[in-house]
């Protein structure tokens, strides 16, 4: 570590702390609610440290750090950095305050009813950060999770912003859209990102503000899909993943996912199915299909593996 890096690390650790307490009025499983935003165990924007979730966020005042811990019926938050107050303002939405389960009836299937009974604290987190969610989803297009998580880690660490506070390990807030736009082509290559994905992110970054405004003003999932799929290189899978992370969209379904239809089919019928079959199975929960998917993954039940894992490809050699 250089002298400059030492000074930056010391400054980050010494940042003043602000605190708040969120009392949701209902049980929230913070790890399962906020933790779903983590992109792999090496995510530079988030780390679990015992009962505490640490998260680096970008605010209008620069990078800030949030630390969340559930204590009884309270969620206690600490924040560091010039944007600490702004970061604390995001805590209710991160913990599912905007998630409305009204109308969700788990009794349509005994398995879902039982998982819902055992997991009452799962909520859908909302970040409000449309471009961050979009960039992350684009990196995950048509590659293994390992490849996508590695690219996210390398690019955010190099081009993001060191988060302040006494974090368990260095954390970084994601780059701004303009910073994503300026990443050189060779850096995408070094991170193993294929040209179609890097070009899609760069093109989307050039229109990030207008796209985010249109996306946030859309009132239905179809309208949100229309906003995002109007951009070259973005389809319904990427749009659904963005809807889920940025808005906590309770009805988002990632049609076209390599594994999802198989997992839903196995959980609800004991047999794998395709996208059309998945949509038919989820139809009784229209408006809450993502909620059902979250419960399926929370159950720990998964389809037995039928073959070897996909081997990550090293696109840097091409």
């Amino acid at each position: 570590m250089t002298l400059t890096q030492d000074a930056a690390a010391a400054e980050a650790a010494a940042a003043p702390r602000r605190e708040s307490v969120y009392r949701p009025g209902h049980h929230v499983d913070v790890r399962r609610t906020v933790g779903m935003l983590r992109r792999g165990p090496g995510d530079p924007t988030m780390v679990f440290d015992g009962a505490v979730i640490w998260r680096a966020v970008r605010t209008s005042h620069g990078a800030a750090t949030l630390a969340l811990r559930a204590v009884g019926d309270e969620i206690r938050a600490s924040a560091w950095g010039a944007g600490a107050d702004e970061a604390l303002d995001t805590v209710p939405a991160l913990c599912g305050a905007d998630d409305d389960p009204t109308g969700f009836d788990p009794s349509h299937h005994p398995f879902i009813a039982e998982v819902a009974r055992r997991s009452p604290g799962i909520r859908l987190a909302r970040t409000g950060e449309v471009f961050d969610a979009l960039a992350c989803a684009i990196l995950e297009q048509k590659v293994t999770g390992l490849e996508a998580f590695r690219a996210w880690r390398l690019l955010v660490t190099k081009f993001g912003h060191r988060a302040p506070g006494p974090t368990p390990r260095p954390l970084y807030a994601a780059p701004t859209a303009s910073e994503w736009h300026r990443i050189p082509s060779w850096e995408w290559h070094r991170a193993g990102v294929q040209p179609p994905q890097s070009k899609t992110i760069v093109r989307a970054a050039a229109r990030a503000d207008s796209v985010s405004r249109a996306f946030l003003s859309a009132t239905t999932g179809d309208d949100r899909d229309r906003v995002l799929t109007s951009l070259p290189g973005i389809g319904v899978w990427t749009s659904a993943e963005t809807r889920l992370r940025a808005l906590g969209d309770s009805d988002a379904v990632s049609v076209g996912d390599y594994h999802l239809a198989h997992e839903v089919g196995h959980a609800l019928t004991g047999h794998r199915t395709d996208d059309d079959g998945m949509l038919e199975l989820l139809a009784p929960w229209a408006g809450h299909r993502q909620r059902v998917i979250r419960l399926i993954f929370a159950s720990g039940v998964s389809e037995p593996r039928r073959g070897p894992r996909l081997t990550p490809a090293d696109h840097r050699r091409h």
Side-chain angles (χ1 to χ4, degrees):
M1 182 178 286
T2 67
L3 183 61
T4 300
Q5 289 172 324
D6 276 332
E11 181 181 357
R17 179 175 67 181
R18 303 297 298 274
E19 296 182 332
S20 69
V21 176
Y22 171 50
R23 299 178 178 87
H26 50 77
H27 176 56
V28 175
D29 186 328
V30 179
R31 191 179 183 95
R32 283 179 164 175
T33 297
V34 182
M36 62 80 58
L37 298 170
R38 188 177 68 155
R39 313 321 297 166
D43 188 345
T45 70
M46 180 180 289
V47 66
F48 298 154
D49 183 36
V52 181
I53 297 177
W54 293 82
R55 177 172 164 79
V57 297
R58 193 182 61 252
T59 75
S60 61
H61 300 286
T65 300
L66 269 177
L68 302 175
R69 178 199 296 267
V71 180
D73 295 330
E74 299 178 342
I75 298 171
R76 299 181 183 176
S78 299
W80 292 261
D85 288 338
E86 190 174 330
L88 290 173
D89 288 341
T90 70
V91 170
L94 280 176
C95 295
D98 298 326
D99 179 24
D100 183 4
T102 302
F104 174 56
D105 183 1
S107 68
H108 290 303
H109 193 288
F111 174 73
I112 297 301
E114 175 59 18
V115 181
R117 185 189 66 80
R118 290 190 281 107
S119 307
I122 295 178
R123 314 289 289 190
L124 297 176
R126 176 188 177 112
T127 69
E129 297 293 340
V130 177
F131 186 78
D132 285 7
L134 179 59
C136 194
I138 294 169
L139 287 176
E140 295 176 6
Q141 291 176 345
K142 301 178 182 178
V143 297
T144 66
L146 288 176
E147 292 172 279
F149 296 158
R150 177 184 180 275
W152 174 254
R153 183 179 71 252
L154 293 176
L155 292 168
V156 171
T157 300
K158 186 161 188 176
F159 298 100
H161 303 268
R162 175 67 184 272
T167 55
R169 60 172 168 80
L171 293 181
Y172 296 83
T176 63
S178 61
E179 288 166 338
W180 282 106
H181 189 266
R182 294 195 299 270
I183 294 176
S185 59
W186 59 87
E187 294 290 359
W188 294 105
H189 186 67
R190 287 174 180 170
V193 181
Q194 299 179 63
Q197 280 67 52
S198 62
K199 291 177 181 176
T200 297
I201 292 177
V202 170
R203 284 193 297 256
R207 301 175 54 188
D209 289 343
S210 59
V211 168
S212 294
R213 285 194 299 270
F215 182 80
L216 292 172
S217 65
T219 57
T220 69
D222 288 343
D223 288 342
R224 293 163 188 155
D225 284 343
R226 275 190 284 273
V227 170
L228 294 186
T229 58
S230 68
L231 300 172
I234 296 176
V236 291
W237 181 91
T238 305
S239 180
E241 291 290 304
T242 304
R243 287 164 54 189
L244 172 59
R245 298 170 194 169
L247 297 182
D249 192 323
S250 63
D251 201 45
V253 181
S254 300
V255 173
D257 190 89
Y258 187 77
H259 299 288
L260 183 59
H262 300 164
E263 297 293 351
V264 171
H266 176 76
L268 298 182
T269 69
H271 306 282
R272 63 166 47 193
T273 188
D274 57 14
D275 282 334
D276 289 338
M278 173 179 66
L279 293 175
E280 183 176 349
L281 288 170
L282 294 174
W285 295 284
H288 296 279
R289 294 178 297 175
Q290 178 57 220
R291 197 180 310 282
V292 173
I293 291 168
R294 289 292 307 282
L295 288 172
I296 289 173
F297 282 108
S299 74
V301 173
S302 63
E303 182 191 35
R305 295 197 176 276
R306 299 171 181 266
R309 292 177 179 269
L310 287 175
T311 302
D314 189 348
H315 302 286
R316 293 170 296 174
R317 298 179 180 179
H318 301 295

